[in-house]
Amino acid sequence: MSLDWIYYAISWILLAWHSAWDAVGVPVGEVLGTNWSWILAIIFLVVTVRVILFPVFVKQIKSQRAMQALQPQVKALQEKHKGDRETLQKEMMELYRKEKANPLMGCLPMFLQIPVFLGLFHVLRRLNPDPEKNNKDLYGWTVDQFNSASEATLFTAPIASKFGSTAEELAQLGANSTTVKIMAGILVLVMMGTTYLTSRQMILKTGWAEDPQQRMIQRLMLYGIPLSLLISGAIFPIGVIIYWVTNNLFTLGQQQWVLRKFPPPVTATSKPGTPAQPARAGGLFGRGKAATPAPAAKPAAPKVAGPKPGAKPANPKKGRPAKRQG
């Protein structure tokens, strides 16, 4: 299946934002070694995509909340149909359908963003200021727009260059190898850090899954994906890394807002009659030492009943031994 429609869509949004920033007076030339109109065009490509996908993101959070609320019923079904996988799957699908919970919804926003990432990767990889390069007007670009983007830089590092660029590629872009590696290396580290923080934020708010397989997936997202970027980031053009970092920052802000608006459901994990477990406080991802419980209040001293009305006052000295005379 041809992906040209994705390349055309990404190019159209990118060029529209570039023209918009030119219209409001953002300098076309370099300022501090950076062509800000192209950098802002990439940043607002992220904003455009995320605004379009925002309703899907809200549905994702609602679906996750529904899945969390159904965990007690899921566990009951697992106990009831232990050893009968076919019946268990049928019953769980019926439960999800009845409660309008979709287990696949949690991954949908990420999957929808993959074509955008691949489209931008392809479009930026084509950039090359070589005057003899053909097809500069592909995907709706004009030759002037293509040449302008090919020469665009971030602190003198071309946005089409990457950490793993060969000497020949850098020569075609007119780039300095040391500058490109430093700039790309810093951005890759920032990309890894923000990717880690987005996963950490979600786990911190929703908690670690009790199911071992789901917990393994959470650990993979938290540690595996950021570490994989240390290697794969070397093949990403700087412009693509700018997109990724901006997308992560947008995700952090969006998740914070949505998690406040749709807080995780409170589920009772203890049996009736058993004392509640102390809440976790501090530590990594809320997994630190248990919070110190408040000291129990001392029992109040028993009240002494007062004398009944009409009763003679008690003599406190009665029954005490008389003092000896000196």
Side-chain angles (χ1 to χ4, degrees):
M1 184 179 65
S2 176
L3 298 179
D4 283 357
W5 67 273
I6 296 177
Y7 306 148
Y8 274 102
I10 297 302
S11 295
W12 186 86
I13 297 173
L14 195 65
L15 295 174
W17 277 114
H18 178 258
S19 299
W21 293 117
D22 280 347
V24 299
V26 175
V28 177
E30 292 185 5
V31 178
L32 299 177
T34 303
N35 298 93
W36 293 106
S37 58
W38 284 109
I39 301 301
L40 290 172
I42 295 174
I43 291 173
F44 277 81
L45 169 64
V46 175
V47 175
T48 303
V49 173
R50 296 307 297 266
V51 168
I52 294 173
L53 294 180
F54 184 75
V56 180
F57 185 82
V58 174
K59 288 183 179 180
Q60 174 199 21
I61 295 297
K62 289 183 177 180
S63 179
Q64 288 175 343
R65 295 295 177 266
M67 293 291 294
Q68 288 176 328
L70 291 176
Q71 284 305 304
Q73 298 182 54
V74 170
K75 288 183 179 180
L77 289 175
Q78 290 173 341
E79 290 294 327
K80 180 180 179 181
H81 302 291
K82 186 179 296 183
D84 189 353
R85 183 178 296 274
E86 184 177 349
T87 304
L88 175 62
Q89 291 296 329
K90 184 178 179 180
E91 292 286 339
M92 289 178 62
M93 290 299 104
E94 179 63 23
L95 176 65
Y96 293 151
R97 185 196 63 79
K98 181 180 177 182
E99 300 296 335
K100 298 180 180 179
N102 187 352
L104 300 179
M105 182 60 70
C107 301
L108 185 59
M110 180 179 66
F111 286 140
L112 291 178
Q113 291 183 71
I114 290 177
V116 180
F117 175 82
L118 294 177
L120 183 64
F121 181 88
H122 177 77
V123 168
L124 294 183
R125 190 177 57 177
R126 293 184 64 252
L127 297 179
N128 189 327
D130 186 355
E132 298 182 0
K133 181 176 177 61
N134 298 322
N135 299 328
K136 290 186 177 183
D137 57 352
L138 197 60
Y139 309 133
W141 292 66
T142 66
V143 174
D144 289 340
Q145 288 172 332
F146 187 92
N147 290 335
S148 175
S150 297
E151 297 171 355
T153 58
L154 175 67
F155 301 116
T156 72
I159 62 174
S161 62
K162 52 186 179 292
F163 188 89
S165 291
T166 64
E168 181 181 355
E169 291 172 337
L170 293 174
Q172 290 176 344
L173 294 169
N176 179 276
S177 175
T178 302
T179 302
V180 168
K181 289 189 182 301
I182 291 175
M183 197 70 246
I186 292 173
L187 286 174
V188 167
L189 292 177
V190 175
M191 177 174 63
M192 293 173 60
T194 52
T195 300
Y196 167 82
L197 289 175
T198 55
S199 298
R200 176 183 183 274
Q201 183 190 53
M202 183 60 71
I203 294 174
L204 194 65
K205 292 293 184 181
T206 60
W208 287 91
E210 296 183 5
D211 182 70
Q213 292 183 346
Q214 294 184 4
R215 184 180 287 256
M216 185 179 299
I217 293 175
Q218 286 180 321
R219 291 186 182 279
L220 176 64
M221 293 183 63
L222 186 63
Y223 302 113
I225 294 178
L227 288 175
S228 70
L229 295 176
L230 185 62
I231 299 174
S232 59
I235 67 173
F236 294 161
I238 286 177
V240 171
I241 302 179
I242 293 172
Y243 174 90
W244 192 305
V245 171
T246 306
N247 188 64
N248 285 345
L249 295 175
F250 197 101
T251 299
L252 285 170
Q254 186 171 266
Q255 282 183 172
Q256 186 66 23
W257 181 85
V258 173
L259 289 170
R260 285 183 178 180
K261 190 172 181 62
F262 304 102
V266 178
T267 57
T269 57
S270 57
K271 297 181 180 180
T274 59
Q277 295 296 325
R280 298 284 181 180
L284 189 62
F285 317 125
R287 298 170 62 197
K289 297 180 180 179
T292 305
K298 294 181 179 180
K303 295 182 179 180
V304 180
K308 296 182 179 180
K312 293 182 179 181
N315 186 0
K317 296 183 180 181
K318 188 176 182 179
R320 293 183 181 178
K323 293 182 179 180
R324 294 182 179 183
Q325 300 292 330

